[in-house]
Amino acid sequence: MTRIAIVTDIHHGAPSHTKRGDTALDLLADFTRWANAEAPDLILDLGDRISDIDTPTDNRLEREVAEALSHLDAPIHHICGNHDRDHLGVADNEAILGTPLQSQVIDLGDWQLALWRADAKIHRNTATPGFDLPESDLLWLSRMAQQAEKPTLVASHVPVSGHSQIGNYYFQRNASVSTYPQADRARQALAQARVPVACIAGHVHWNTVTTVDGIPHMTQQSLTESFTTGGEPARAWGMLTLGKTLHWQVFGDDPFEARLTPGRRWTPPLAPFLQSLAAE
């Protein structure tokens, strides 16, 4: 089995809406103590390490997060979120974190980890502000899925399940920026895999599991989000155990737990009923 500790949407910085970014560094210290005691095989940071302000401020905030995470004993792998990219480029984040931030596949033994570091910048100065997934990122995901020879965990910042955002403080009325406009193509790319696949993401600030075509898509709560916890930070971090089954547990004040068995693709959906009746 492989054990992966996960933290996401740290949002270090001034409080904003329901993000308690003022608590982030203290909570990262708590996460570090917990993770070092649990001794996972690796750690995933799924992005949005800061709440962006401007280039100099974001550079300082990112460095403060990097310093806090430097005390972890296990290897850590980072993904950029949209707030990490508002005023900083990928190269800036690489320099701060001291690691490359291109998509890659990591062999975990019985499983593999696909770090899908797709472009997470929200393009604001366009007719339709939002994400715009580059074709190169879709091609990487497609080729990875086609070539996968062992069960695969796909980690990204932005989820692609297309799950409902009803009840979400940020995204119920802004669902277009809860995922990529090309999310259906990303799901089609994943469906090409001949092995079990599971996906984990952040961004939407709540714990969910949505299964699409036999592929479970998980989203983990933000470390500092408070819309589900009465104004106090959720203190959320997770442990994902990969084996014959998948066990995911989120700790803190917004706890969640799921046991899943990624496996066979599902039968394709039925045509609309009127078409089905006409065919009969």
Side-chain angles (χ1 to χ4, degrees):
M1 294 189 297
T2 298
R3 299 168 68 242
I4 302 174
I6 302 171
V7 64
T8 189
D9 297 272
I10 296 164
H11 284 289
H12 172 42
S16 174
H17 298 286
T18 59
K19 305 183 190 85
R20 289 294 311 276
D22 55 313
T23 67
L25 294 183
D26 287 341
L27 292 178
L28 280 180
D30 293 342
F31 169 70
T32 296
R33 285 189 287 270
W34 172 83
N36 288 345
E38 288 290 327
D41 295 289
L42 59 100
I43 294 167
L44 278 179
D45 152 35
L46 297 179
D48 273 1
R49 289 173 286 278
I50 64 168
S51 289
D52 64 279
I53 300 292
D54 54 40
T55 300
T57 305
D58 292 4
N59 196 299
R60 173 180 60 81
L61 293 173
E62 290 274 1
R63 290 183 184 281
E64 289 171 353
V65 172
E67 165 60 23
L69 294 173
S70 71
H71 301 287
L72 289 162
D73 294 335
I76 183 167
H77 299 282
H78 304 276
I79 293 173
C80 284
N82 49 289
H83 287 275
D84 307 313
R85 291 292 324 285
D86 269 318
H87 303 289
L88 299 175
V90 173
D92 298 317
N93 281 272
E94 289 177 330
I96 292 167
L97 297 170
T99 187
L101 292 174
Q102 305 304 313
S103 295
Q104 66 180 119
V105 176
I106 298 172
D107 192 338
L108 301 177
D110 290 339
W111 282 69
Q112 67 177 15
L113 170 63
L115 292 167
W116 189 41
R117 295 181 171 119
D119 183 19
K121 184 176 179 65
I122 293 181
H123 302 273
R124 305 181 189 280
N125 299 320
T126 62
T128 55
F131 296 109
D132 184 14
L133 185 60
E135 191 69 16
S136 57
D137 286 332
L138 276 167
L139 287 173
W140 187 94
L141 187 66
S142 175
R143 289 166 182 160
M144 181 282 300
Q146 292 175 47
Q147 296 168 8
E149 296 181 348
K150 58 177 64 178
T152 301
L153 175 68
V154 180
S156 64
H157 178 68
V158 180
V160 298
S161 65
H163 66 285
S164 171
Q165 297 300 316
I166 293 174
N168 188 292
Y169 173 80
Y170 292 98
F171 297 111
Q172 176 170 320
R173 295 178 176 87
N174 301 286
S176 64
V177 288
S178 68
T179 189
Y180 293 110
Q182 306 92 335
D184 58 336
R185 292 187 62 201
R187 294 192 298 270
Q188 291 167 18
L190 292 171
Q192 296 173 103
R194 295 163 295 174
V195 297
V197 174
C199 299
I200 182 80
H203 184 59
V204 290
H205 290 212
W206 60 0
N207 299 313
T208 67
V209 175
T210 305
T211 303
V212 182
D213 191 24
I215 297 176
H217 295 253
M218 299 163 281
T219 64
Q220 183 170 299
Q221 175 63 285
S222 157
L223 178 71
T224 57
E225 183 53 62
S226 71
F227 86 81
T228 66
T229 47
E232 294 299 315
R235 302 189 305 113
W237 53 72
M239 183 71 80
L240 187 61
T241 303
L242 304 174
K244 291 184 178 179
T245 61
L246 185 155
H247 178 213
W248 176 44
Q249 188 169 7
V250 182
F251 302 92
D253 293 341
D254 189 5
F256 190 86
E257 187 170 8
R259 293 183 183 273
L260 305 162
T261 306
R264 298 174 180 172
R265 299 290 90 87
W266 292 352
T267 301
L270 181 68
F273 287 138
L274 291 177
Q275 290 183 22
S276 299
L277 290 172
E280 292 178 0

